[in-house]
Amino acid sequence: MDDEKKVASIDKTVSDYRAGDYSWILNSHECVKDINFKLDLGKISFNVAMSCLTLLNSTLRKNMAERKLDGLLNYSDGHSNEWTIDPKSLTESVQYAILYWSDHFVDAVKMVDAYQQEQLLVELKRFCKTQLLHYLEAILLLKKLDLVSSVVNSVLSCLADIHHPDTPSILQDLKLVSINFRPQLMVSPLQVYNHALISVPQQTEYYLNYHQMTSARITIGAKKNWGPLNLFGQSEVVSVAISPDGRTIVSGSSDNTVEVWDMQKGICTASLVGHTSLVHSVAISADGRTIVSGSSDNTVRVWDMQEGICTAILDDDCSEVHSVAISPDGRTIVFGSFDSTIRVWDRQNGTSEILEGHSRGVKSVAISPDGRTIVSGSGDSTVRLWDMQEGTCTDILGTHSVVTSVAISPDGRTIVSGSEDSRVRLS
């Protein structure tokens, strides 16, 4: 039986695998207790993984939709912007292998011996050396670009768990290509061989292995290695925050939305809609469950990170909100406004207190690690310290210009402020 027929058989008989339901396998040996019936799950996973990789290595190619290439390197038939798939090129079996090879690979590596692990690695390396561009094209045809990061993360994590010394680093390049060139790739799958290859850093394994598949080359100003990761939103990003576990980024934008990003996958997982003007500031609670956002629409919104819903709105007759902060215990939200006030909102009893003292708009606020002190920076060129419990100003630190940002060190002993005179001050 050839590999496509093997995969076709799998695709037709174990649909539960796609849904993550393995109970039919795990319980199958209990069907008839008086018969010695047992499935070797390691062998099954090994055979399926090998068949999937072998099928991909022998089937994937450039321009699998078999369309006449236009100037935009697009798959469109000229009448629609939708990409089209030729079922003869991407059969159901091939589509299954494209989407699920990594699941079978990871399962197999965990259950087989060293010899079979090495066989899997040989086939994986062949796939990485010859098929990654075709695989990325196929993923785009199936409209599953977001899958690439998950595939790479799971395979690399699996190989790290068995301490394999020869892990293909080119897979990490593939992940970064899918993230950094997302806007170009979403225009057309054939951009895999164009911009998303020409502009790849030239000392990466990905570029060195595949650069011959494009006729163009950057000779002046070409990047050598990957730089900072770029996450592409829909509009100007005004503010950002990162979760305590380092896995999630939250951004506030000029299109009035709050966007939630998965750092590992490099994708936007949620766009929180509710504000009616640009979002000046965002913050994340210490437990990573709550997002707070402040906007020019004169409101502060509280969001449930997991559910992606707004759980509270504070509209306390204030002006546009420039900065927000949330206390370490998550009970108190502090925000500074254009009207020169600071408001302290107790989430548990729903009350708020107004702190007055600044003579111009409050640009930035921060809360000390012990939750006792608020620090604020203002357009009046001062930094003020406030006792959160008493609601009183305990100190005023003069600067030389409009204070645009403030922060407190983890030990609570140092206050840092940035101002429009290009200075950073430590107090």
Side-chain angles (χ1 to χ4, degrees), residues 65-85 187-188:
E66 296 184 342
R67 290 283 176 176
K68 182 179 179 180
L69 306 184
D70 61 23
L72 293 175
L73 293 177
N74 207 332
Y75 273 119
S76 170
D77 58 9
H79 304 288
S80 169
N81 291 326
E82 289 295 314
W83 306 330
T84 54
I85 300 176
V187 171
S188 167

Side-chain angles (χ1 to χ4, degrees), residues 244-285:
D245 63 8
R247 297 180 179 179
T248 304
I249 293 173
V250 173
S251 61
S253 303
S254 61
D255 65 357
N256 314 337
T257 64
V258 176
E259 294 189 316
V260 183
W261 302 83
D262 184 311
M263 284 188 64
Q264 290 295 316
K265 297 179 180 179
I267 61 173
C268 179
T269 58
S271 185
L272 310 181
V273 179
H275 284 296
T276 58
S277 188
L278 72 84
V279 180
H280 276 293
S281 181
V282 291
I284 305 175
S285 62

Side-chain angles (χ1 to χ4, degrees), residues 107-149:
D107 287 344
V109 167
K110 293 176 180 178
M111 292 187 283
V112 299
D113 58 29
Y115 175 73
Q116 290 180 312
Q117 285 178 351
E118 198 58 39
Q119 286 182 282
L120 288 166
L121 259 293
V122 169
E123 203 63 29
L124 175 63
K125 289 176 184 177
R126 185 158 77 98
F127 174 71
C128 290
K129 190 172 182 63
T130 63
Q131 299 297 332
L132 283 192
L133 268 63
H134 302 151
Y135 169 68
L136 185 55
E137 177 194 344
I139 282 286
L140 286 161
L141 278 173
L142 298 178
K143 300 179 181 179
K144 295 290 185 179
L145 181 60
D146 293 346
L147 184 65
V148 173
S149 292

